[in-house]
Amino acid sequence: MVDKITYSPDGHLQVPDEVAIPFVEGDGTGPEIWSAAVTVFDAAISKVYGGTRKVKWKEVLAGEKAFRKTGEWLPQETLDCFRDCKVGIKGPLTTPVGGGFRSLNVTIRQELDLYACIRPVKYIPGVPSPMKQPEKVDMIVFRENTEDVYAGIEWRAGSNEARKVIDFLNSQMGQDIRHDAGIGIKPMSAFGSKRLVRRAIRWAIDNGRKSVTLVHKGNIMKFTEGAFKEWGYEIAKDEFDNRIVLEEELMADPRDVPDRIVIKDRIADAMFQQILLRPEEYDVLAMPNLNGDYMSDALAAQVGGLGMAPGGNIGEEVAVFEATHGTAPKYAGKDMANPSSVILSGAFMFEYIGWSEVAGRIRASLEQTIKDKIVTYDLARQMRGAKKVKCSEFGRAIVDHL
Ligand code: NAP
């Protein structure tokens, strides 16, 4: 019987053997990469479990397909289904111009309170990379998803709202803001920052990682970014005291602490140098929204670009995994795009629901396919002696390697 994921009273995911998982195929190249990906998922599940476990994929609508069929870009039914089923996956979505949305992706994250955007970044051997030693990159980014400048509180220069805020700040708060300024607000709360850092530390503990680095710009933005760092240290000390050690303690008293997660912090601009120069010293990274936006794409570039980067947006109850690139509209309908991001996001999702054998099998087969130099156009153009295949052929090659 097809069933939904639920939670046990102690908060653990309970996954039935035949489980309903909703998916949005996405816009642009979305349908092609989804089709290649789902072929890989079903084949891997069947290979690992021989029919004793199955996913019943349940299509839900968002983006252009939803608009064509229902007149809405993001039907309430889609959000309800993700909420109900607890775990889902989506392809990339076009940002509608004038659709009343800042972005469909941001709306999905905010509506479902998927507060942590998690991006594992690990090098796959054979993938072309601008780094000399890309195999040193093995990090996982936890990016806060609901606050910071992405909360979308801003007013156009010259608008009544902008004028009101500027008048208030200039007359009541001793500021001297130019009257033709646009205004954006950067809210960052103790609640939002702490739950993100808590999640990152818990993940580090559960997955045997070595450190959690808080990445911030607190030297300049003291009461938002600086507070993020302070709240991060607070949660580490208050809730994980017997599982962590602070980097500054180790500097004062150097010793081996194999059973402890080292908590450190770095200023964001310096961190961009660190991920290039000393990537092996970093592991789990926790950061506010905008830093996380830049940092996760920069890290993805180090291991072969966004076409290869998986991602998941996770809240207390619901998780939606997704390709990290956009819809790549110029390749839509050409069966060319690289489906690896959705395939690896699926592997990440299977790991999340506890089907780790499936995740491992998918990753190993994808790695072997790339090692054999069977790749889509984006990688083929950077690899010597590669066999360039279509998106669907790449999916089938992964299935052959399972
Ligand atoms: P994009 O769709 O990510 O495409 C930019 C370039 O990245 C492509 O032209 C291509 O580079 C490469 N690329 C992206 N996906 C690829 C894939 N699967 N395989 C191979 N190469 C890939 O970014 P965009 O053109 O800025 O955005 C297009 C639309 O997507 C916009 O409406 C945007 O709002 C939306 N978007 C959605 C998401 C999301 O749903 N999560 C994220 C970002 C953007 P080359 O041409 O050099 O080969």
Side-chain angles (χ1 to χ4, degrees):
M1 198 187 88
V2 182
D3 225 335
K4 289 173 192 156
I5 293 174
T6 51
Y7 283 91
S8 64
D10 59 350
H12 288 102
L13 279 184
Q14 290 182 314
V15 182
D17 287 338
E18 196 162 337
V19 59
I21 296 188
F23 72 94
V24 171
E25 63 177 13
D27 297 327
T29 51
E32 299 149 56
I33 56 179
W34 171 254
S35 164
V38 78
T39 309
V40 172
F41 300 155
D42 285 338
I45 294 166
S46 157
K47 199 94 183 174
V48 170
Y49 297 128
T52 59
R53 279 180 168 173
K54 275 190 193 137
V55 171
K56 175 85 178 151
W57 301 103
K58 194 173 158 60
E59 181 168 12
V60 288
L61 299 176
E64 288 167 351
K65 193 169 179 182
F67 192 68
R68 268 198 316 274
K69 291 198 166 183
T70 70
E72 287 183 79
W73 289 97
L74 182 59
Q76 184 60 38
E77 221 180 319
T78 297
L79 294 171
D80 291 344
C81 187
F82 279 134
R83 250 186 224 113
D84 200 30
C85 292
K86 310 285 186 252
V87 172
I89 184 163
K90 62 173 276 296
L93 294 172
T94 305
T95 298
V97 179
F101 288 98
R102 177 165 298 262
S103 140
L104 288 174
N105 297 303
V106 172
T107 308
I108 291 172
R109 292 170 197 172
Q110 290 181 345
E111 286 288 320
L112 298 174
D113 198 22
L114 307 175
Y115 62 83
C117 176
I118 309 183
R119 295 251 193 111
V121 190
K122 189 171 180 243
Y123 181 63
I124 294 177
V127 173
S129 155
M131 300 280 287
K132 280 193 184 135
Q133 294 176 296
E135 65 283 356
K136 288 185 174 175
V137 178
D138 182 4
M139 291 177 228
I140 178 155
V141 177
F142 281 70
R143 165 190 175 199
E144 207 289 325
N145 246 349
T146 63
E147 302 194 320
D148 198 355
V149 290
Y150 266 55
I153 309 169
E154 54 173 0
W155 295 286
R156 194 186 299 278
S159 64
N160 270 342
E161 292 87 348
R163 232 175 275 137
K164 265 192 201 165
V165 177
I166 293 169
D167 284 348
F168 171 73
L169 292 173
N170 287 352
S171 63
Q172 311 279 314
M173 307 291 281
Q175 302 301 318
D176 185 18
I177 299 172
R178 293 190 180 98
H179 284 280
D180 59 355
I183 294 289
I185 304 274
K186 181 181 170 76
M188 282 170 56
S189 68
F191 173 81
S193 305
K194 284 182 177 180
R195 69 177 175 172
L196 187 271
V197 175
R198 179 186 294 117
R199 191 108 202 191
I201 298 176
R202 216 174 261 154
W203 201 92
I205 292 170
D206 292 347
N207 291 277
R209 306 294 291 231
K210 294 192 183 75
S211 67
V212 173
T213 305
L214 309 169
V215 182
H216 60 91
K217 190 70 188 159
N219 53 330
I220 302 297
M221 291 170 273
K222 297 182 194 310
F223 305 125
T224 49
E225 301 264 336
F228 176 88
K229 176 187 79 167
E230 298 306 328
W231 289 321
Y233 276 119
E234 233 174 271
I235 208 83
K237 287 186 269 190
D238 290 352
E239 295 185 14
F240 299 97
D241 191 37
N242 59 352
R243 301 303 307 271
I244 59 122
V245 60
L246 305 187
E247 183 185 49
E248 62 184 39
E249 291 170 352
L250 289 181
M251 284 166 81
D253 174 18
R255 60 194 189 277
D256 277 341
V257 283
D259 54 337
R260 299 255 176 163
I261 308 289
V262 181
I263 309 290
K264 38 190 168 181
D265 78 276
R266 295 289 181 273
I267 290 174
D269 40 335
M271 190 62 194
F272 276 97
Q273 292 191 44
Q274 296 285 302
I275 60 172
L276 288 169
L277 300 175
R278 302 217 291 272
E280 67 277 19
E281 290 178 21
Y282 297 93
D283 198 339
V284 177
L285 313 179
M287 60 194 88
N289 195 292
L290 189 60
N291 299 338
D293 190 19
Y294 299 151
M295 187 73 64
S296 39
D297 278 19
L299 273 167
Q302 290 182 215
V303 299
L306 285 181
M308 302 301 299
N313 295 290
I314 297 181
E316 288 308 337
E317 287 229 339
V318 182
V320 178
F321 294 80
E322 67 172 357
T324 51
H325 52 70
T327 58
K330 64 182 171 182
Y331 301 111
K334 296 188 176 157
D335 196 13
M336 280 175 74
N338 185 348
S340 297
S341 177
V342 178
I343 292 174
L344 291 168
S345 299
F348 189 22
M349 175 182 77
F350 288 120
E351 197 152 59
Y352 180 80
I353 67 169
W355 293 11
S356 302
E357 309 93 316
V358 175
R361 192 69 78 98
I362 293 171
R363 284 197 199 104
S365 302
L366 188 140
E367 282 181 21
Q368 191 56 49
T369 306
I370 290 172
K371 219 173 183 181
D372 291 352
K373 298 195 171 187
I374 301 170
V375 288
T376 44
Y377 85 93
D378 51 321
L379 299 184
R381 68 187 167 191
Q382 305 172 65
M383 284 164 79
R384 209 172 287 157
K387 180 178 176 204
K388 181 171 97 177
V389 294
K390 294 176 186 235
C391 171
S392 53
E393 292 168 338
F394 183 69
R396 282 198 292 275
I398 298 174
V399 170
D400 290 344
H401 282 107
L402 280 168

